[in-house]
Amino acid sequence: AARYGVTIALHTDHCGAANLGDWVRPLLHHSAGRVRAGLDPLIQSHMWDGSALDLARNLNIARELLELSGRARTLLEIEVGVVGGADHAAGEVDEKLYSTVEDARAIVAALGAGERGRYLTALTFGNVHGAYKPGAVRLRPEILRDIQQQVGAELGVDRPFDLVFHGGSGSTEEEIAQAVEYG
């Protein structure tokens, strides 16, 4: 990084509930200690994958991790909703694969809209983990637009969520472009 003049950030990915106690929580505490000592955090970004949990439990844990992330000067990524493939039967398409405006409102109620710390949100809109041929996935990127518009209007901001797109395999170029357009 020093030779190229770029910032290098390390990110933990997909930490589920079973691994919080021996993975992300200890790393956040370690980084908070480094920050108190005047150093940079050991790892700059952590992902809490609570997608397998009910929304209330997912967001309770996310709230705790966001507070720890603030002390560690790290970024938190959360996954809300069921992503097909890894978390849901591959090829099974149902409403569980699509986040709702109500889900997004619950996120803001639990984590704030940035005033309690910045976080990235992986909302689901039919995306799946794994390798799929184009057309095998039924994305509905307009869900992201609707969430950004409706929650944004309620908060008085243009795009309230910094979104992360998980599971792009099988998506068309048009669907990906729409998802990016919506944040």
Side-chain angles (χ1 to χ4, degrees):
R3 289 190 307 210
Y4 294 100
V6 297
T7 300
I8 301 294
L10 298 177
H11 173 73
T12 62
D13 200 20
H14 288 280
C15 179
N19 299 106
L20 280 172
D22 60 2
W23 183 6
V24 167
R25 281 185 181 124
L27 287 172
L28 284 168
H29 286 294
H30 180 76
S31 287
R34 288 177 55 91
V35 167
R36 283 192 303 276
L39 301 169
D40 288 330
L42 180 66
I43 295 174
Q44 293 74 31
S45 176
H46 297 281
M47 183 196 176
W48 156 236
D49 183 350
S51 61
L53 304 177
D54 68 82
L55 184 61
R57 184 160 177 235
N58 181 347
L59 294 177
N60 278 337
I61 293 170
R63 183 182 307 117
E64 171 217 343
L65 295 176
L66 185 61
E67 183 181 322
L68 287 171
S69 291
R71 288 188 291 212
R73 285 194 356 227
T74 61
L75 190 59
L76 179 66
E77 176 186 344
I78 64 169
E79 187 163 41
V80 175
V82 174
V83 176
D87 305 330
H88 197 62
E92 184 181 335
V93 177
D94 60 37
E95 288 306 306
K96 291 180 184 176
L97 296 177
Y98 303 98
S99 295
T100 66
V101 173
E102 291 76 26
D103 296 338
R105 287 182 181 121
I107 293 167
V108 171
L111 304 182
E115 70 279 1
R116 296 183 212 155
R118 186 171 178 198
Y119 57 92
L120 306 175
T121 307
L123 296 172
T124 58
F125 54 103
N127 34 326
V128 298
H129 291 134
Y132 299 90
K133 292 180 181 179
V137 176
R138 293 188 193 107
L139 288 188
R140 291 176 23 206
E142 65 276 4
I143 287 172
L144 303 176
R145 177 200 61 213
D146 295 347
I147 287 172
Q148 293 279 42
Q149 287 177 349
Q150 290 181 43
V151 176
E154 293 166 11
L155 297 173
V157 296
D158 200 25
R159 289 187 175 174
F161 295 101
D162 292 322
L163 297 177
V164 178
F165 182 179
H166 281 238
S169 171
S171 306
T172 66
E173 286 185 37
E174 180 183 350
E175 290 168 330
I176 292 172
Q178 283 179 318
V180 170
E181 180 183 334
Y182 303 142

